[in-house]
């Protein structure tokens, strides 16, 4: 695509196909996460920036209107490419997450792009528990899972934003001003009362009980976001479990494996009306692997 687009008012941008920049160990720069990831942590498969099939895909987003070979010759390692993008972000040329939809795209597409970019900005500097993977990987993965369940762009956008109220400085009023009431209500529906000032381990059980009781009677759109959220969480848990076994729970607020099993299995029970979805079946397979043989307390009914 050669049309110059005016989405960025600082410098002219074009849509480019960016080839994967990797090193000899297979580590690669991921523009979605804006970091260097290990080869076994590919999130490219359903990434909104992805063009083609990983690992031979291109990462398709707007970049400076420069000859591609100019910077491809200068930035030859994942670390150098990350430095290049960080410099653009710090100088305000681009955002934490890049623009990737044309200006004449549908309103729904543009809403989803704005939601991802807002989430990346809101979660800046946050990481997943126990590792150095930027937190934005989780909302992106949640959004991609929801996009396989529904074509409703409000629901997809809400999935990208689902942790913003709960885990960042931004409030429901902030979201409502930008994204409107429906998307904000879906995000609020996924947000726990964290009980600020109280130890998270002490409030874990009551927060999860409230969460489960709420989702039982929630609209199906909210249930889809919750299912996608938990599938994304369990995928990360499975990766860690295969390396460290049940020691993985030491990094969580609730360190009791049986209580974790109670919560994740209760989620499967209250969301059983979504059992027709492939994501639900994946969830069950992961439950069996992680919690096989764990003595589980009675589930929420």
């Amino acid at each position: 695509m050669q049309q110059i687009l005016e989405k960025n008012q600082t410098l002219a941008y074009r849509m480019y196909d960016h080839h994967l920049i990797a090193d000899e160990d297979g580590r690669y720069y991921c523009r979605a996460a804006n970091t260097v990831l290990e080869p076994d942590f590919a999130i490219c498969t359903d990434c909104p920036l992805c063009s083609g099939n990983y690992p031979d895909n291109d990462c398709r987003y707007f970049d400076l209107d420069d000859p591609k070979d100019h910077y491809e010759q200068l930035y030859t390692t994942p670390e150098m490419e990350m430095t290049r993008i960080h410099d653009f972000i710090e100088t305000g040329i681009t955002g934490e997450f890049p623009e990737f939809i044309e200006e004449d795209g549908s309103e729904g597409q543009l809403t989803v792009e704005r939601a991802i970019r807002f989430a990346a900005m809101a979660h800046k500097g946050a990481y997943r528990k126990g590792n150095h993977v930027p937190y934005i990987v989780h909302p992106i993965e949640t959004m991609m899972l929801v996009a396989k369940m529904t074509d409703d762009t409000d629901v997809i956008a809400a999935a990208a934003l689902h942790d913003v109220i709960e885990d960042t400085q931004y409030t429901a009023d902030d979201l409502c001003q930008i994204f409107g009431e429906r998307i904000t209500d879906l995000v609020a529906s996924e947000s726990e009362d964290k009980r600020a000032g109280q130890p998270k381990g002490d409030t874990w059980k009551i927060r999860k009980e409230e969460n489960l009781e709420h989702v039982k009677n929630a609209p199906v759109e909210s249930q889809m976001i919750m299912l996608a959220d938990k599938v994304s969480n369990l995928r990360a848990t499975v990766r860690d479990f295969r390396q460290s076994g049940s020691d993985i729970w030491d990094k969580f607020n609730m360190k009791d494996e049986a209580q974790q099993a109670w919560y994740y299995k209760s989620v499967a029970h209250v969301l059983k009306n979504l059992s027709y979805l492939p994501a639900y079946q994946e969830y069950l397979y992961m439950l069996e692997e992680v919690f096989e043989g764990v003595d589980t307390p009675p589930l929420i009914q």
Side-chain angles (χ1 to χ4, degrees):
M1 180 180 300
Q2 293 302 311
Q3 177 188 8
I4 294 179
L5 301 171
E6 301 299 329
K7 296 182 71 173
N8 184 295
Q9 298 301 314
T10 307
L11 295 170
Y13 259 28
R14 290 181 190 266
M15 179 75 88
Y16 283 126
D17 286 337
H18 298 260
H19 298 296
L20 195 68
I21 298 179
D23 61 20
E24 59 184 10
D25 296 321
R27 297 162 63 249
Y28 68 102
Y29 174 71
C30 172
R31 182 62 183 94
N34 189 26
T35 195
V36 177
L37 293 176
E38 298 298 322
D40 62 349
F41 202 90
I43 62 170
C44 305
T45 305
D46 298 306
C47 179
L49 304 182
C50 183
S51 172
N53 297 313
Y54 179 83
D56 299 319
N57 60 288
D58 292 327
C59 194
R60 191 169 178 78
Y61 57 87
F62 294 95
D63 207 339
L64 284 179
D65 184 23
D66 243 355
K68 286 194 295 181
D69 57 1
H70 172 70
Y71 58 76
E72 287 179 351
Q73 290 172 4
L74 293 176
Y75 302 95
T76 57
T77 69
E79 290 81 5
M80 293 172 70
E81 177 67 358
M82 184 169 67
T83 297
R84 181 178 81 91
I85 297 297
H86 278 178
D87 288 345
F88 287 169
I89 293 171
E90 290 303 314
T91 54
I93 293 174
T94 188
E96 289 291 324
F97 198 92
E99 296 162 329
F100 63 99
I101 301 294
E102 301 169 66
E103 280 188 321
D104 60 356
S106 71
E107 182 177 349
Q109 284 181 311
L110 292 170
T111 297
V112 171
E113 182 196 66
R114 287 192 300 115
I116 302 171
R117 297 183 74 219
F118 187 91
M121 179 269 297
H123 292 294
K124 180 179 180 179
Y127 295 88
R128 296 289 272 157
K129 278 188 174 74
N131 57 45
H132 296 290
V133 176
Y135 193 85
I136 189 58
V137 167
H138 170 62
I140 293 172
E141 186 172 44
T142 301
M143 178 210 72
M144 294 188 298
L145 284 161
V146 169
K148 291 182 175 181
M149 303 177 196
T150 177
D151 294 328
D152 189 326
T153 51
D154 279 357
V155 182
I156 297 168
L161 296 163
H162 78 276
D163 277 335
V164 165
I165 295 175
E166 184 175 314
D167 291 332
T168 79
Q169 63 181 319
Y170 295 96
T171 67
D173 287 341
D174 295 328
L175 285 190
C176 196
Q177 289 179 22
I178 301 170
F179 295 102
E181 187 173 342
R182 183 175 183 235
I183 289 175
T184 302
D185 286 347
L186 285 166
V187 175
S189 179
E190 295 304 304
S191 304
E192 286 185 1
D193 176 0
K194 286 295 188 75
R195 291 170 168 77
Q198 300 182 52
K200 292 182 179 180
D202 293 349
T203 63
W204 185 90
K205 186 67 177 286
I206 185 64
R207 287 187 285 113
K208 299 309 178 188
E209 288 174 342
E210 290 173 349
N211 173 249
L212 292 164
E213 289 295 340
H214 167 75
V215 79
K216 280 197 300 186
N217 301 310
V220 68
E221 293 86 356
S222 293
Q223 293 181 337
M224 286 177 174
I225 296 173
M226 183 181 187
L227 174 60
D229 176 28
K230 302 314 173 194
V231 168
S232 176
N233 284 339
L234 261 189
R235 283 177 176 177
T237 298
V238 166
R239 283 194 294 268
D240 291 345
F241 181 80
R242 289 172 179 171
Q243 292 183 347
S244 305
S246 58
D247 289 345
I248 59 171
W249 305 114
D250 291 343
K251 66 183 179 182
F252 291 93
N253 295 318
M254 173 51 67
K255 305 181 189 309
D256 186 335
E257 183 180 36
Q259 289 298 316
Q260 292 284 359
W262 163 82
Y263 176 61
Y264 278 103
K265 290 180 181 181
S266 291
V267 167
H269 181 72
V270 300
L271 295 180
K272 60 182 180 296
N273 62 305
L274 300 180
S275 61
Y276 64 94
L277 292 170
Y280 185 90
Q281 299 305 317
E282 179 185 356
Y283 187 78
L284 293 184
Y285 294 142
M286 290 189 293
L287 277 182
E288 184 175 351
E289 177 174 353
V290 174
F291 297 113
E292 182 180 9
V294 175
D295 189 13
T296 308
L299 305 183
I300 287 283
Q301 299 298 314

